């Protein structure tokens, strides 16, 4: 009878090790809409190097968001949708402009709004390919064309780091023959179809990737039949080029002009590689040969606009701009303006809209302008502010015009100096930092960045301000997926933050001011003649600028912050020095020293 019973399953006979694992089910999140590509959408395809999709997405998203916020090219692209009343009003602003309202508006814009975004990144399962969905008033074809024309004409000194090619798509659809016909009629109609249309020469260029249903020849034939007479095919000298991009189960169609090949289809990397150095390299004057700003000398193309700016600022019509020397390898676009009377001015413009910025770096130009205004009444060797414009109405971007400080870079001369001479420079810097720390807020006792405090965006305690500063740079690190002990850092700030409660009164602190690259000296007298870069000025604890003098948990917290900033900045600037390794060592040591107090 034993053979008449039910036979045991093979899994039971083989033992529990052969049991089939249970499938883990995840409940979908409620009220969460995932961006996707729908028929009828418009957008822009972007390509990049392999494994750089995340960095490319961050770069493009940051560029498009800054474009939307600053309207860098809005008067060119949305001329029918945006009036010029704001620009006319901004041209009438002076040095005494109310910066608080502008910074408040920018902070509110950074915090987000309920308005639908103009550019939404869509994740697709294709290597090296990205898609950004656009909405009105953005028109993808003219938008990409303006960007590539500006790059081709060298209007932007800095462009993209990871983006290779941008392809505009006027309308998207499903990768089927029926959807191809519907999408093509909608896109081709305004250009080719209908009575009274001028005969045009056209070409069709399909791009197919990870798709095996529709063939290249079938797509060309179907689209060519829809165009019809009186238009003719010309693969070399065409008036219009029809782009058909098919990725997996998605297709997009657009019609571009005959300058498609001129804009390298349009390949941003190729346009950058065609950019040649400007002719006529100038020789630096003897008194500025070792100045940290002046590394190579290229005549600027905006001398006429600078001429008007200088004459209006200095109120001397007889002064002319002799030449302009651009200074590369800086986050901000810096130029030295040589005047006809022999004097010089320093022009610092906002970073390129294509540059990846840390959150605090978005306020650096305003920070420096406000800080220099505070220090202008002192006898400290700092630049004197002449003109600060937060709009882009004059030179195409916000800028700060200051006096020029003469001297040689301490970073370049330090290796030729003796130990006692270096000690003398460092002693002078301690005295200068102490003199800067004597300045306190004139109106309120707010802690935080100078620009935010001026816009009533500061904090009532130093502990809250420091927490926001640390969290801001940690969010910058998370944006690029930088490897850091995030939990330990946040836990250290939470448990040791009480050490900051003793800071009651804010004083002026300029982070990074003691960096040898920001110090100008006179080699003969071995004295400090100038200080540069006040973009990281804040109202806070004076020991924040002299971490070596801060003892206990407070000094360790400051060390952690400076180390995290150095690590994150290294990734954003793509530097190859050993600064990141040193910073990680300091970060690990500081966290370990805080561990005995109860931090794990």
């Amino acid at each position: 009878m034993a053979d008449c019973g039910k036979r045991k399953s093979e899994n039971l006979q083989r033992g529990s090790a052969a049991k089939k694992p249970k499938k883990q089910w995840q409940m979908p999140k409620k009220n969460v809409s995932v961006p996707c590509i729908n028929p009828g959408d418009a957008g822009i395809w972007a390509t990049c190097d392999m494994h750089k999709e995340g960095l490319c997405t961050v770069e493009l998203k940051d560029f498009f968001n800054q474009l939307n916020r600053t309207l860098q090219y809005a008067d060119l692209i949305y001329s029918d949708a945006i009036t010029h009343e704001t620009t006319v009003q901004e041209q009438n602003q002076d040095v005494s402009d109310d910066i608080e309202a502008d910074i408040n508006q920018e902070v509110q814009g950074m915090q987000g709004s309920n308005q639908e975004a103009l550019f939404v990144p869509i994740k697709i399962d294709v290597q090296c390919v990205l898609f950004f969905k656009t909405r009105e008033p953005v028109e993808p074809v003219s938008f990409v064309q303006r960007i590539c024309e500006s790059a081709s004409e060298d209007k932007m000194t800095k462009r993209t780091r990871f983006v290779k090619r941008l392809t505009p798509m006027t309308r998207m659809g499903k990768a089927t023959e029926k959807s191809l016909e519907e999408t093509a009629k909608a896109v081709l109609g305004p250009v080719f179809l209908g009575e009274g249309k001028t005969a045009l020469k056209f070409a069709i260029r399909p791009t197919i990737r990870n798709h095996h249903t529709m063939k290249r020849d079938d797509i060309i034939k179907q689209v060519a039949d829809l165009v019809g007479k009186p238009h003719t095919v010309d693969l070399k000298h065409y008036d219009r080029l029809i782009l058909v991009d098919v990725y997996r189960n998605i297709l997009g169609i657009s019609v571009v002009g005959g300058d498609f090949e001129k804009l390298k289809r349009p390949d941003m990397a190729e346009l950058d590689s065609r950019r040649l150095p400007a002719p006529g390299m100038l020789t630096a004057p003897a008194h500025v040969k070792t100045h940290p700003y002046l590394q190579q000398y290229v005549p600027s193309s905006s001398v006429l606009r600078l001429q008007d700016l200088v004459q209006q600022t200095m109120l001397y019509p007889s002064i002319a701009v002799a030449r302009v020397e651009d200074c590369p390898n800086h986050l901000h676009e810096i130029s030295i303006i040589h005047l006809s009377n022999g004097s010089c001015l320093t022009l610092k413009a906002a970073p390129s809209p294509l540059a990846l910025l840390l959150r605090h770096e978005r306020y650096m130009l305003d920070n420096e302008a406000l800080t220099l205004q505070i220090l202008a009444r002192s006898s400290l060797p700092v630049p004197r502010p002449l003109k600060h414009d937060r709009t882009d109405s004059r030179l195409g971007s916000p800028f700060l015009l200051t006096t020029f400080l003469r001297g040689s870079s301490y970073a370049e001369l330090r290796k030729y100096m003796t130990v006692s001479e270096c000690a003398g420079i460092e002693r002078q810097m301690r005295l200068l930092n102490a003199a800067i720390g004597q300045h306190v807020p004139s109106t309120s006792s707010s802690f935080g960045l100078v620009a935010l405090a001026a816009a009533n965006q500061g904090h009532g305690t130093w502990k809250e301000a420091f927490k926001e500063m640390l969290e801001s740079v940690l969010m910058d690190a998370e944006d690029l997926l930088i490897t850091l002990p995030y939990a330990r850092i946040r836990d250290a700030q939470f448990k040791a933050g009480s050490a900051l409660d003793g800071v009651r009164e804010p004083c002026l602190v300029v982070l990074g001011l003691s960096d040898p690259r920001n110090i100008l000296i006179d080699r003969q007298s071995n004295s400090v003649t100038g200080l540069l870069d006040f973009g990281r000025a804040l109202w806070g604890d004076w020991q924040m600028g002299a971490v070596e003098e801060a003892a206990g948990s407070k000094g360790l917290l400051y060390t952690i912050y400076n180390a995290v900033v150095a690590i994150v900045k290294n990734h954003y600037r793509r530097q190859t020095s050993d600064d990141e390794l040193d910073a990680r060592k300091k970060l690990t040591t500081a966290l370990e020293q805080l561990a005995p107090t109860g931090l794990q």
Side-chain angles (χ1 to χ4, degrees), residues 60 63-64 66-67 70 72-73 76-77 143-161 166 267-268 271-276 301 305 326 333 350-355 395-397:
L60 274 179
F63 169 50
F64 289 152
Q66 290 190 37
L67 182 76
T70 62
Q72 179 79 9
Y73 304 103
L76 298 176
I77 301 171
F143 180 80
V144 173
Q145 183 177 0
R146 291 294 186 181
I147 294 177
C148 293
E149 285 178 351
S150 298
S152 179
E153 297 171 6
D154 198 23
K155 293 180 180 178
M156 296 183 295
T157 58
K158 297 179 182 178
R159 302 183 187 92
T160 57
R161 184 178 302 162
L166 300 176
D267 194 325
M268 298 295 295
L271 290 172
D272 277 342
S273 65
R274 294 194 312 167
R275 180 171 171 261
L276 300 177
S301 60
R305 288 183 294 176
D326 296 334
E333 299 179 2
S352 167
L354 302 172
L395 301 181
S397 66

Side-chain angles (χ1 to χ4, degrees), residues 466 544 547-548 550 553-565 583 586-587 589-590:
F466 179 81
M544 185 74 175
V547 180
E548 65 278 358
S553 299
K554 183 167 64 171
L556 294 176
L557 286 177
Y558 296 162
T559 300
I560 291 173
Y561 173 78
N562 291 332
V564 174
V565 171
K586 293 179 180 179
L587 175 62
T589 302

